[in-house]
Amino acid sequence: MKTLTPIGVVLGLLILTGALATPIVPWVARSSGSEEANASSVTPSVEEHADPSGVTTSLDPGTDEPEPLPDDVVSLPEDILWETNYDDPPIGSSDAVRGGTFNYSIGQYPMTFRLMGPNSNDAFAGWNRAFTMSFGLVSRHPVTDNYIPRVATHWSVQEDQRTIYFQIDPDAEWSDGNPITASDFVFTWRMMRSEHIVDPFYNNYAEQFYESVDRIDDHTLRIVGTRPSWRPLSDYGGLWPTPEHATELDENWVSRTNNQHQIAVGPYVVSSVSRGESVTLERLDEWWGDGNHYFQGMYNFDRIHLRVVPIERNLDYLRRGELDLVVENNARAWNEDYIFPAVQNGWIRRARVFVDTPSGVYGLHMNLEAPIFQNRDFRRAMHHLFNFDRLNRNLMFDEYFRQVSFFEGTEYANPEIQPREFNPARAKEYLERAGYRRPEHIRGRNVAQNVGNALRGLLFTRSDTDDVLVNERGEKASFTVIYGSPGLTRHLTVMQQEYRRAGVDMRLRLLEPGTAFERGLERKYEMTVTGRTAGFYPSPRQYLHTDFKEAVNNNNIWGFGTSEVDELIEVYEENLDFDARLRAMHRIDEIVHEEAFYIPFWRAPFIWLAHWDYLRFPDFYLPRRTQQVTDYMVYWIDPERREALTEAMRTGEAFPVEEDLDVDYYGIREVVDQEPGVGP
């Protein structure tokens, strides 16, 4: 499995690099699913820094580029032992065929092509990072969970659990042909600290995690973390390179690079765009990673064409042959809409692929800066008006499981937490505690008057009736939910009805996805629907720490933060005792539940796929740790099957159709927990 070798043996070896995976650096979470999005951050940090070596570097506008650190500032320990792992299986399939154009959709044209700074976490962000940021020093194998090489071939974690040395693959090249060197990783660290990127998340991240990043020579790097870590490779080994030779960092960097395509580490670069309509990526003719062990069977397409398609129109584009693959996110559509001839004839294949990943944060979110949600009793009442069973039964074909924990799907989820039951009577108690009651002038109405008024509310909106609950200041129990997915309208309408019956006026406002997402980041909302995916380890700091409470445009979309949670986050991040970390995370989970600013929705341990027959997958379909179908590009276009499909469609010949759509290669379905009970 893993080997330790002296430095003299490994120098010059061409060791295989790692595969595209969820980045180890726990940066802002990526989008997943039709309602989920991600976030960036926008406030400055410090500009000038004293390097731990004693060399002062400056990124101040008007100064020259920072001078590289002398090679003799740091050196390798004499007795260093190097570790690597190229014994795990390749991530892709040996059956894969190279070639063709893969047609896929994105919900929105890129707001920027930058990797950091304002608007850098939009619908295109996952693709933009896939061949840049995702190529860090090491990664985790998406099936075995072992660490594997990526841009570094070897690593050596020192006894202090915060100093790591890396050997960079001497074959690694930028897409422009320049070599990737240790200086490019040092430059990323300096860039993250600069105020010119206008990104407080990375400013904060660099400060919190990295004491120094030092070049030893072109292919040897030292990283010193700020503290001993129980997961040093995860905390410090995900650093990615930035092409220092092609990056000018000054006060105009954000505006100048907004539409500048990235020089890539991975096999694809943006080759052309049609503004507002599409982005095309081309595969490099001679990519440095071709033939490497963990890249076998991956990155098989010559070209990736990303077309801007509204989520609700994906199936239409698939039927017309303008998309090769869609990921379905709607249970009704999955169960009712795939009955057209191309599916019945087996020309379009379907699969429900079971995967094993953290669920992330997905549901209704309340802005703690909005006056109506500053009362915790009112927030708890909103929980008791959420009727998950009705939604799942009537709208989602009982396909889903209720989400409970803030850390759902990880070992850190608190097993004692139960979702609050749907209970209008309990909700009424909380509403009364929050000071909301029926208006005085209608308390004496008779039954007929009340029934008529209720019917009017159901036909129009509760705010058109006169029995919306009010507090002593005459303020109505009324708020607006903004959301960006039309597919959620049916679900939210059912919820709206439950809230109306309780005298709460929930108004629905559908916005363009990017606009809804941006409103959430800026906290310009009362209640919103959004989601965040999660990494292998939870990263509560970016969501719940007070560092992000005062600023906007970050993943703390609620404006939450307390000193207790800050201290618990510190325990989780720094304590080497697993039991202490577990207790801290369970308490954080408990606090989120108690504060009730987040109503978790539902989760699914699977991905619904629909694709044309010529798009082929391995037997396992997707690696076990896949969160998004684009995480690991292990599929390919088979030209022979494409030709056969064309002929079958011409003659009307049907292909065999699989009756069982489930692909459960890893036995995940057997261990999925049953739906949890309910709590107070």
Side-chain angles (χ1 to χ4, degrees), residues 437-454:
R437 294 176 175 80
R438 297 181 72 197
E440 282 286 344
H441 68 281
I442 64 169
R443 291 182 188 176
R445 280 183 171 174
N446 59 40
V447 173
Q449 289 173 318
N450 287 333
V451 170
N453 194 60

Side-chain angles (χ1 to χ4, degrees), residues 33-38 106-108 111 122-123 309-312 482-486 510-520 528-530:
S34 60
E35 293 82 44
E36 298 180 10
N38 41 44
I106 51 176
Q108 178 187 15
M111 299 173 71
D122 61 0
V309 177
I311 293 169
E312 65 274 11
I482 64 170
Y483 63 107
S485 173
L510 174 64
L511 301 177
E512 186 274 331
T515 302
F517 171 58
E518 189 174 354
R519 293 283 184 89
T528 189
V529 180
T530 190

Side-chain angles (χ1 to χ4, degrees), residues 212 417 515:
S212 69
I417 293 177
T515 302

Side-chain angles (χ1 to χ4, degrees), residues 174-481:
W174 294 104
S175 56
D176 64 2
N178 283 279
I180 297 173
T181 69
S183 296
D184 295 318
F185 290 89
V186 175
F187 187 75
T188 297
W189 174 57
R190 294 179 179 173
M191 191 172 180
M192 283 197 295
R193 296 187 301 170
S194 171
E195 69 174 6
H196 297 318
I197 66 173
V198 194
D199 198 324
F201 176 81
Y202 287 111
N203 293 159
N204 181 274
Y205 185 81
E207 179 181 351
Q208 292 289 331
F209 280 83
Y210 296 105
E211 180 176 300
S212 69
V213 180
D214 304 301
R215 173 188 181 274
I216 296 176
D217 58 41
D218 278 353
H219 297 107
T220 313
L221 183 74
R222 184 187 75 172
I223 291 179
V224 181
T226 54
R227 62 185 184 275
S229 173
W230 50 273
R231 50 178 191 182
L233 284 174
S234 287
D235 278 347
Y236 311 130
L239 189 68
W240 68 94
T242 299
E244 183 180 22
H245 66 279
T247 306
E248 180 183 358
L249 189 61
D250 56 24
E251 72 274 15
N252 297 317
W253 178 80
V254 167
S255 58
R256 186 177 62 251
T257 61
N258 198 57
N259 294 306
Q260 189 176 92
H261 304 159
Q262 295 299 310
I263 297 173
V265 186
Y268 293 95
V269 293
V270 175
S271 60
S272 63
V273 300
S274 177
R275 188 168 295 277
E277 296 181 358
S278 67
V279 177
T280 301
L281 299 98
E282 295 277 349
R283 201 183 197 283
L284 300 173
D285 291 335
E286 295 183 1
W287 178 49
W288 64 271
D290 281 335
N292 285 0
H293 178 65
Y294 289 114
F295 294 142
Q296 291 179 31
M298 297 182 68
Y299 314 124
N300 301 304
F301 308 111
D302 289 338
R303 189 176 301 103
I304 300 172
H305 183 66
L306 303 175
R307 183 167 184 167
V308 177
V309 177
I311 293 169
E312 65 274 11
R313 296 292 311 282
N314 274 339
L315 180 55
D316 295 333
Y317 280 77
L318 179 73
R319 295 179 65 167
R320 295 203 299 257
E322 296 180 43
L323 297 178
D324 300 316
L325 166 72
V326 299
V327 177
E328 185 56 67
N329 295 289
N330 184 284
R332 182 198 58 78
W334 181 254
N335 284 275
E336 294 182 349
D337 291 354
Y338 290 83
I339 55 174
F340 49 92
V343 173
Q344 295 169 333
N345 290 331
W347 302 337
I348 289 179
R349 303 287 181 184
R350 293 200 297 157
R352 183 169 73 155
V353 184
F354 281 82
V355 291
D356 184 13
T357 61
S359 299
V361 178
Y362 175 48
L364 283 168
H365 308 275
M366 302 173 221
N367 185 354
L368 297 176
E369 296 174 359
I372 196 168
F373 291 123
Q374 291 177 359
N375 185 293
R376 187 172 66 176
D377 287 325
F378 187 85
R379 300 195 300 267
R380 289 181 173 179
M382 301 304 98
H383 280 248
H384 284 294
L385 294 176
F386 174 53
N387 194 342
F388 169 77
D389 290 336
R390 181 185 176 194
L391 290 172
N392 199 32
R393 180 179 61 252
N394 295 345
L395 299 182
M396 299 187 293
F397 296 81
D398 276 327
E399 293 269 10
Y400 289 96
F401 299 89
R402 186 168 185 180
Q403 191 151 314
V404 182
S405 169
F406 198 77
F407 308 117
E408 195 79 47
T410 77
E411 61 187 340
Y412 293 100
N414 188 333
E416 300 300 319
I417 293 177
Q418 299 296 331
R420 292 182 174 90
E421 63 178 330
F422 171 68
N423 189 330
R426 194 68 178 273
K428 181 181 178 182
E429 293 176 8
Y430 278 117
L431 286 167
E432 289 179 348
R433 289 186 201 174
Y436 287 92
R437 294 176 175 80
R438 297 181 72 197
E440 282 286 344
H441 68 281
I442 64 169
R443 291 182 188 176
R445 280 183 171 174
N446 59 40
V447 173
Q449 289 173 318
N450 287 333
V451 170
N453 194 60
L455 289 174
R456 183 185 176 194
L458 290 175
L459 289 172
F460 301 100
T461 69
R462 174 66 72 171
S463 57
D464 290 324
T465 73
D466 56 2
D467 64 344
V468 175
L469 303 182
V470 297
N471 61 20
E472 60 183 9
R473 296 182 297 276
E475 298 165 338
K476 292 185 176 182
S478 176
F479 57 86
T480 298
V481 180

Side-chain angles (χ1 to χ4, degrees), residues 4-277:
L4 296 174
T5 55
I7 182 173
V9 177
V10 298
L11 287 178
L13 291 179
L14 304 181
I15 306 300
L16 305 174
T17 56
L20 169 63
T22 301
I24 287 178
V25 176
W27 54 52
V28 189
R30 298 166 298 130
S31 64
S32 172
S34 60
E35 293 82 44
E36 298 180 10
N38 41 44
S40 181
S41 30
V42 185
T43 51
S45 180
V46 292
E47 200 167 40
E48 189 168 288
H49 312 270
D51 193 87
S53 65
V55 178
T56 299
T57 63
S58 175
L59 297 176
D60 190 66
T63 64
D64 295 330
E65 287 290 321
E67 294 183 3
L69 297 176
D71 289 353
D72 61 355
V73 169
V74 294
S75 60
L76 288 171
E78 292 182 1
D79 59 348
I80 189 169
L81 293 177
W82 291 100
E83 184 176 3
T84 191
N85 172 22
Y86 48 95
D87 295 330
D88 283 10
I91 295 172
S93 169
S94 59
D95 296 330
V97 177
R98 179 74 60 80
T101 298
F102 175 56
N103 296 285
Y104 196 67
S105 68
I106 51 176
Q108 178 187 15
Y109 186 78
M111 299 173 71
T112 182
F113 286 87
R114 280 182 283 95
L115 294 171
M116 293 186 282
N119 301 318
S120 60
N121 292 278
D122 61 0
F124 180 67
W127 287 101
N128 207 19
R129 294 168 178 161
F131 312 115
T132 53
M133 281 182 170
S134 290
F135 280 82
L137 291 157
V138 297
S139 68
R140 282 186 179 273
H141 192 286
V143 177
T144 69
D145 291 336
N146 294 324
Y147 287 106
I148 58 176
R150 196 180 291 179
V151 179
T153 62
H154 292 71
W155 53 91
S156 179
V157 179
Q158 303 304 292
E159 290 185 4
D160 64 2
Q161 291 293 104
R162 70 187 188 103
T163 302
I164 314 176
Y165 295 89
F166 296 93
Q167 289 186 337
I168 297 168
D169 192 324
D171 284 350
E173 289 184 345
W174 294 104
S175 56
D176 64 2
N178 283 279
I180 297 173
T181 69
S183 296
D184 295 318
F185 290 89
V186 175
F187 187 75
T188 297
W189 174 57
R190 294 179 179 173
M191 191 172 180
M192 283 197 295
R193 296 187 301 170
S194 171
E195 69 174 6
H196 297 318
I197 66 173
V198 194
D199 198 324
F201 176 81
Y202 287 111
N203 293 159
N204 181 274
Y205 185 81
E207 179 181 351
Q208 292 289 331
F209 280 83
Y210 296 105
E211 180 176 300
S212 69
V213 180
D214 304 301
R215 173 188 181 274
I216 296 176
D217 58 41
D218 278 353
H219 297 107
T220 313
L221 183 74
R222 184 187 75 172
I223 291 179
V224 181
T226 54
R227 62 185 184 275
S229 173
W230 50 273
R231 50 178 191 182
L233 284 174
S234 287
D235 278 347
Y236 311 130
L239 189 68
W240 68 94
T242 299
E244 183 180 22
H245 66 279
T247 306
E248 180 183 358
L249 189 61
D250 56 24
E251 72 274 15
N252 297 317
W253 178 80
V254 167
S255 58
R256 186 177 62 251
T257 61
N258 198 57
N259 294 306
Q260 189 176 92
H261 304 159
Q262 295 299 310
I263 297 173
V265 186
Y268 293 95
V269 293
V270 175
S271 60
S272 63
V273 300
S274 177
R275 188 168 295 277
E277 296 181 358

Side-chain angles (χ1 to χ4, degrees), residues 652-666:
E653 176 190 358
F655 292 166
V657 177
E658 293 287 344
E659 293 185 7
D660 185 3
L661 301 182
D662 285 352
V663 178
D664 190 18
Y665 188 85
Y666 304 103

